[in-house]
Amino acid sequence: MPRWFLSAKHGGQITLNKSNKPNVTPLIRQMSFVEPTEVSWLWPGRIALGRITVLAGDAGGGKSFLCCDIAARISSGMPWVEDCPCPQADVVIMNAEDDPSDTIRPRLEAMRADLNRVHLLEGQVRTGASGDKQTVPISLKDIETIEETLRRLHDPKLIIIDPIGSYFGSGADSHRDTDVRALLAPLGQIARDHKVAILLVAHYRKSPGDRADDRVMGSRAFTGIARSVHHLLPDPSDAERRLLLPGKSNLGKAPNGLAFTITGEPARIEWSDEPVEFTAEEVMSAFTAKSGNRARDNAKAWLAE
């Protein structure tokens, strides 16, 4: 029968050693020794510093436009939509789908970004044993490269990974819980160590779900690890309007929804002054009902013909 004994107690931490396994020692800390702190927000109520946030929606729904608006505000220090202060800082963008020259930069310029404070992480250069250099893609496995990027910037506050599925790398399955957690856990540690917010852009799966968060493509570990989830959905009553609606909100009360349209050339976001009271589930239900009515109307027309 193995014997347990108390080996140390200091600073509220208790270490227990098992006599026949001296290298396995659980670390225990009394909650009375945990220093309470407040949540630090980058976008109050929506994107927290030191945490992972998920932005989910259908392909082509405006997620990348919204990311450019967020990056523009942080890079230039423009106030947030609700007219609350936004700290001016550096932004790192990892974007696998949009062209930097004809898409990302024109959007940022239209949204009045400070381009000197927005940085694209496009890959990494590996040096071989013979000194030859090779540019290779980057994935979430290259955690040292992501951290080195933050060290080289003056004051980074946000990393945007758009879309998250494009940065899994070979051998990792975005639908497997263990793979997702193995990749996102080090990313979450970087967020905490450097006090930056990490915004993961995710697509919806085709199959419906009872909850909006369940529609996020891939493993449920994405929304499980994220402290906040936001959904970008079209307005059922206005095809040109987009609704930014809260999902999971572990760090505080869920914020009100917001609405915007994409306008101009180059295109930019124009926000509505009125808050949105709908939930993501209500909007999805409205689209499901609308789709059902359309199917019935088509069937009636076919029968009549």
Side-chain angles (χ1 to χ4, degrees), residues 162-234:
D162 181 12
I164 181 63
S166 295
Y167 290 94
F168 257 60
S170 60
D173 186 349
S174 62
H175 293 81
R176 187 180 300 157
D177 190 88
T178 52
D179 287 9
V180 173
R181 291 184 180 276
L183 287 175
L184 294 192
L187 201 62
Q189 189 61 52
I190 282 182
R192 291 188 290 274
D193 291 345
H194 293 269
K195 293 181 173 57
V196 301
I198 297 180
L199 182 61
L200 306 182
V201 178
H203 295 317
Y204 280 152
R205 66 177 84 233
K206 292 183 179 179
S207 57
D210 294 333
R211 296 172 60 252
D213 290 358
D214 293 339
R215 284 205 59 199
V216 177
M217 186 177 289
S219 165
R220 290 188 178 180
F222 284 114
T223 56
I225 290 178
R227 297 297 83 197
S228 300
V229 179
H230 299 281
H231 298 274
L232 190 59
L233 296 162

Side-chain angles (χ1 to χ4, degrees), residues 90-287:
D90 293 297
V91 178
V92 177
I93 297 178
M94 297 166 60
N95 188 303
E97 295 181 345
D98 295 318
D99 186 272
S101 57
D102 66 19
T103 304
I104 299 177
R105 174 166 178 163
R107 288 178 182 176
L108 290 170
E109 288 181 324
M111 299 176 196
R112 296 183 294 162
D114 181 347
L115 298 181
N116 293 316
R117 306 204 71 166
V118 182
H119 313 270
L120 289 178
L121 179 52
E122 298 180 294
Q124 55 190 338
V125 178
R126 288 180 180 168
T127 304
S130 60
D132 57 313
K133 297 182 183 297
Q134 181 183 15
T135 301
V136 296
I138 190 169
S139 75
L140 295 183
K141 296 178 181 179
D142 301 305
I143 207 72
E144 298 86 358
T145 303
I146 297 173
E147 191 163 24
E148 179 61 23
T149 301
L150 295 177
R151 293 194 191 100
R152 295 188 178 200
L153 300 180
H154 172 64
D155 185 23
K157 283 289 186 290
L158 177 67
I159 301 176
I160 298 171
I161 304 178
D162 181 12
I164 181 63
S166 295
Y167 290 94
F168 257 60
S170 60
D173 186 349
S174 62
H175 293 81
R176 187 180 300 157
D177 190 88
T178 52
D179 287 9
V180 173
R181 291 184 180 276
L183 287 175
L184 294 192
L187 201 62
Q189 189 61 52
I190 282 182
R192 291 188 290 274
D193 291 345
H194 293 269
K195 293 181 173 57
V196 301
I198 297 180
L199 182 61
L200 306 182
V201 178
H203 295 317
Y204 280 152
R205 66 177 84 233
K206 292 183 179 179
S207 57
D210 294 333
R211 296 172 60 252
D213 290 358
D214 293 339
R215 284 205 59 199
V216 177
M217 186 177 289
S219 165
R220 290 188 178 180
F222 284 114
T223 56
I225 290 178
R227 297 297 83 197
S228 300
V229 179
H230 299 281
H231 298 274
L232 190 59
L233 296 162
D235 189 331
S237 60
D238 184 351
E240 299 300 317
R241 203 164 92 128
R242 302 290 186 269
L243 305 177
L244 178 62
L245 304 172
K248 170 182 175 178
S249 183
N250 269 49
L251 301 177
K253 180 182 176 182
N256 287 329
L258 298 171
F260 66 83
T261 55
I262 299 172
T263 184
E265 185 61 44
R268 59 183 177 82
I269 281 180
E270 186 174 300
W271 291 93
S272 170
D273 294 332
E274 297 296 325
V276 177
E277 301 298 336
F278 301 119
T279 66
E281 283 77 12
E282 288 171 340
V283 173
M284 288 181 176
S285 295
F287 272 106

